[in-house]
Amino acid sequence: MNAQRRRIFVFTGGLALATVLAGALSVPSLERHYLRQQAEQDGPLLELAKESLSAALDRYAPLPALIAERASLADLLAAPRDAALLAAVNEDLRQTALMVQASDVFLMDISGRTIAAATYREPGSFIDRNFSHQSYFMNAREGALTSFQVSGTTTGERGYYYAAPVEDGDRIVGVLAVKFNIQAFNSVWNGAGSEFMVSDANGFVLMSSRPDWHFRAMRPLTDATRRVIAQNLQYPIDRIELLPITKVALDDTAQLVSFAETSGESFVMTSTALPQRGWVMTSLTPTGPARLMALKLLLILGLTGLLLFGALLSYLLKQARQREALVREQGAKRLLEATVDERTADLQKALEHLKSTQTDLIQAGKLTGLGQMSAALSHEFNQPLAAVKTYADNARAFLKRDRIAEAQDNITRISKMVDRMASISAHLRNFARRPQQAAGPLLLNQVVQDALAVFDVRLATTGGRIAYTPPAGEIWVIGGHVRLQQVIVNMLNNALDAMEGQDDQVVSLRVEGHRITVRDNGPGIDPAALGQLFDPFFTTKPPGKGLGLGLSISYNIVTDFGGTMTAANHPDGGAIFVVTLQPAQDVRTAAE
């Protein structure tokens, strides 16, 4: 009996030892399996972070082109010694930088010298510095919209630059650049359980969730790379340090990496390319959870072996021993399941946080647009409502005098004004975005007559007169009847407002070819305000006299028709506004 027990103990002991050895030998394979599994789970998160970063960068890409359209920039480039104009442009750029939260907005002449900047008050301003060597300047000077990452060799601040050409007619006369601190884009991976970094084609870390990795080289610099960096002044080459990283391939898409500076801490590294910028975004997830999973599985296997050993021993000792071992096995399994559920819940929370952030940004944009639309609606309905009130008062007076025909005429005019207000509300989105309503051929003569009919209400109330010079024949243009009529009424209103308080208030209205000209005999427009005249909410009127939306809305309507709208001071005094429309064939179906 003892010999048999010895044989059983020897067999079970050998089996247990073999299990332990097999488990120990399988640890590396198990670890690699779970590390690869972790890399697969990191893929969707990495793509989401990549799309979020691309969206954050693309959101600011149109800014330099929009700012470069300001006429004051081309004027300053043409007259860089104009102190008053320089001061106005510097302050305008400073206000723009504050509004878009940019580090700097600066204007360079065609040679690359900075002549105006948002930071003109600060000691580290770019003014008088030459950036002709920078690729974003060279590309923009050739007419391209560019973006470019640079470490900030002037300020030491890691920046991302957008640039666009400044044009005077068909000539490029300078470059407008906008700089953003790269740190502002790091928020795309806030709340993620992994570390992230973005590197350029040279292997330099541009952005990272860990500040100690910023601007470190992931591989040694070649002589050719050093020469390119020194030529472009893109990075302060004397401060570049090598990031001590060791890589071991897990599969075709993932690597196991460790950093000498992190005391042996290792990560699962997966990468994806941002080909439009020549960047690579990398996700680094700590290997601790994957290795913990491998150890837990090994523990389960070891426990299974112990259970087998216990089962054989229980044949000789106690059957109750087997039940105890089974209880331990179930406890270990529940622990494993609870750990897996916890990790899954953490991952789901991170994804929900990212989705919530995106939803909040979209809602904020909607609320901003709603505010602008409400202000525009209030402005655009003032004139028709005033006309409706006047017609209603006239109709009441006519009814009291039994002048039924005149009362009916006024009621008909009220109905037309209501229809016009409905049409105006349908077209209000011209202010913020290019509208989708189709424009077509219409008779310009009729549009002008309708606008004058509406404007007669104000003339009867406030005085003044319109000196209208009609065209000799019918003129057909591309546009919409109601929207073009609103443009003419806005120009007439502004002209009459400019002459408030004068004895002789005469507005000159001429239609010559496809051009509408409105001139007043007021004091004219401040030259400093000409460049902003068509900007939303910009007004030269006293507080309470206007929202600064009429000219902006009119400008967008005319642009939608494919035409142009300009403003200037007449040599003989007063201001002159000119609307030039696209010609159309002589047809009898007009667009509304």
Side-chain angles (χ1 to χ4, degrees):
M1 184 67 176
N2 290 335
Q4 184 179 6
R5 288 184 179 180
R6 284 196 297 271
R7 287 195 297 271
I8 291 175
F9 277 115
V10 169
F11 172 74
T12 55
L15 181 60
L17 179 60
T19 302
V20 171
L21 290 175
L25 294 174
S26 64
V27 168
S29 298
L30 287 174
E31 285 185 353
R32 292 178 70 87
H33 168 73
Y34 283 109
L35 292 174
R36 293 191 190 100
Q37 192 176 70
Q38 182 64 57
E40 293 177 359
Q41 295 173 356
D42 290 343
L45 283 176
L46 181 60
E47 287 298 320
L48 180 59
K50 168 188 171 181
E51 295 301 325
S52 298
L53 177 60
S54 296
L57 292 171
D58 292 341
R59 183 166 60 248
Y60 297 109
L63 280 176
L66 294 175
I67 299 171
E69 292 178 354
R70 297 177 181 176
S72 59
L73 301 183
D75 293 341
L76 180 59
L77 289 167
R81 296 185 179 179
D82 188 331
L85 181 57
L86 175 60
V89 171
N90 273 328
E91 183 59 21
D92 183 35
L93 295 183
R94 189 180 74 85
Q95 294 294 337
T96 300
L98 290 175
M99 181 173 61
V100 302
Q101 298 181 340
S103 295
D104 203 352
V105 181
F106 54 100
L107 176 66
M108 295 164 282
D109 62 19
I110 202 66
S111 69
R113 185 178 68 88
T114 303
I115 64 173
T119 57
Y120 70 96
R121 297 178 177 178
E122 302 175 11
S125 174
F126 288 164
I127 289 180
D128 287 332
R129 291 189 58 87
N130 192 293
F131 296 103
S132 59
H133 58 279
Q134 296 288 7
S135 61
Y136 64 84
F137 171 81
M138 292 184 287
N139 291 340
R141 187 175 61 183
E142 297 301 322
L145 298 178
T146 68
S147 60
F148 182 72
Q149 187 277 332
V150 70
S151 173
T153 54
T154 301
T155 63
E157 177 184 82
R158 294 177 305 113
Y160 194 82
Y161 291 71
Y162 300 89
V166 178
E167 299 179 350
D168 184 3
D170 57 355
R171 296 186 307 110
I172 296 176
V173 294
V175 171
L176 189 284
V178 182
K179 175 187 176 184
F180 289 92
N181 189 337
I182 286 184
Q183 186 67 28
F185 302 114
N186 286 0
S187 60
V188 297
W189 47 62
N190 287 345
S194 302
E195 305 288 355
F196 289 90
M197 65 169 62
V198 178
S199 56
D200 66 5
N202 296 318
F204 294 113
V205 179
L206 313 178
M207 290 179 275
S208 173
S209 56
R210 295 188 43 164
D212 56 322
W213 290 347
H214 287 165
F215 201 59
R216 305 284 293 276
M218 298 182 67
R219 58 176 179 267
L221 300 179
T222 64
D223 292 339
T225 301
R226 289 181 178 274
R227 286 194 296 270
V228 172
I229 294 173
Q231 179 181 358
N232 293 337
L233 297 180
Q234 185 177 3
Y235 307 107
I237 194 168
D238 56 329
R239 294 186 299 183
I240 296 174
E241 297 181 8
L242 185 65
L243 188 64
I245 182 172
T246 303
K247 302 178 183 179
V248 177
L250 292 174
D251 54 27
D252 295 338
T253 60
Q255 294 175 309
L256 175 64
V257 301
S258 60
F259 298 89
E261 296 177 345
T262 57
S263 302
E265 184 180 3
S266 57
F267 302 86
V268 177
M269 184 174 78
T270 54
S271 301
T272 184
L274 286 79
Q276 292 182 344
R277 295 177 173 84
W279 293 354
V280 174
M281 175 173 278
T282 301
S283 168
L284 297 106
T285 303
T287 58
R291 287 178 169 167
L292 180 61
M293 292 292 292
L295 291 175
K296 287 181 178 179
L297 181 58
L298 183 61
L299 177 61
I300 293 175
L301 293 175
L303 288 175
T304 302
L306 290 175
L307 289 173
L308 291 175
F309 178 72
L312 291 174
L313 289 178
S314 67
Y315 178 76
L316 300 172
L317 302 174
K318 294 180 180 180
Q319 190 177 10
R321 196 77 172 265
Q322 184 179 16
R323 290 195 296 270
E324 183 181 349
L326 288 174
V327 170
R328 291 197 301 270
E329 181 186 10
Q330 292 173 355
K333 288 183 178 180
R334 284 195 297 271
L335 177 61
L336 177 61
E337 292 173 354
T339 302
V340 172
D341 291 341
E342 181 181 355
R343 297 296 180 187
T344 302
D346 290 342
L347 178 61
Q348 185 63 32
K349 288 180 180 179
L351 289 172
E352 290 175 356
H353 176 73
L354 290 176
K355 292 179 180 178
S356 176
T357 301
Q358 291 175 339
T359 301
D360 290 344
L361 290 175
I362 293 172
Q363 185 64 19
K366 289 181 179 179
L367 292 176
T368 300
L370 181 58
Q372 294 176 341
M373 188 67 72
S374 298
L377 185 62
S378 174
H379 179 84
E380 290 301 321
F381 278 179
N382 280 340
Q383 298 166 0
L385 286 176
V388 166
K389 185 177 185 309
T390 300
Y391 289 142
D393 292 342
N394 292 342
R396 184 165 51 247
F398 287 140
L399 288 174
K400 288 180 179 180
R401 301 173 185 174
D402 292 330
R403 296 167 64 178
I404 304 302
E406 289 89 339
Q408 288 177 341
D409 178 67
N410 277 265
I411 293 173
T412 301
R413 290 175 181 268
I414 291 174
S415 177
K416 290 182 178 180
M417 287 295 101
V418 173
D419 292 339
R420 180 170 175 269
M421 285 190 288
S423 299
I424 290 173
S425 66
H427 297 297
L428 279 177
R429 63 178 179 271
N430 280 287
F431 170 62
R433 289 286 187 272
R434 179 178 294 274
Q436 298 302 316
Q437 296 97 332
L442 56 83
L443 183 60
L444 181 58
N445 310 56
Q446 185 61 51
V447 177
V448 175
Q449 291 295 339
D450 290 348
L452 290 174
V454 172
F455 202 69
D456 283 343
V457 176
R458 173 170 179 175
L459 294 177
T461 303
T462 62
R465 62 188 180 89
I466 306 297
Y468 173 46
T469 304
E474 293 185 344
I475 298 177
W476 290 84
V477 296
I478 297 296
H481 190 108
V482 173
R483 288 178 286 171
L484 184 55
Q485 177 182 338
Q486 186 65 24
V487 171
I488 298 172
V489 170
N490 281 345
M491 290 195 298
L492 295 175
N493 266 321
N494 285 339
L496 204 59
D497 289 344
M499 297 182 292
E500 185 176 1
Q502 294 182 191
D503 294 335
D504 186 19
Q505 298 182 13
V506 179
V507 179
S508 172
L509 173 63
R510 298 178 62 87
V511 177
E512 299 174 323
H514 305 98
R515 177 179 300 172
I516 306 168
T517 302
V518 174
R519 179 194 168 192
D520 60 65
N521 57 1
I525 305 170
D526 184 353
L530 282 173
Q532 308 174 63
L533 207 57
F534 299 114
D535 290 348
F537 301 105
F538 177 81
T539 179
T540 58
K541 297 178 182 178
K545 294 295 185 178
L547 295 174
L549 290 173
L551 286 178
S552 178
I553 293 173
S554 299
Y555 183 87
N556 280 277
I557 291 175
V558 174
T559 302
D560 186 44
F561 295 157
T564 60
M565 184 175 186
T566 60
N569 287 316
H570 196 277
D572 297 332
I576 182 169
F577 287 79
V578 179
V579 171
T580 304
L581 300 169
Q582 295 289 334
Q585 295 180 352
D586 186 353
V587 296
R588 299 298 169 178
T589 301
E592 293 295 329

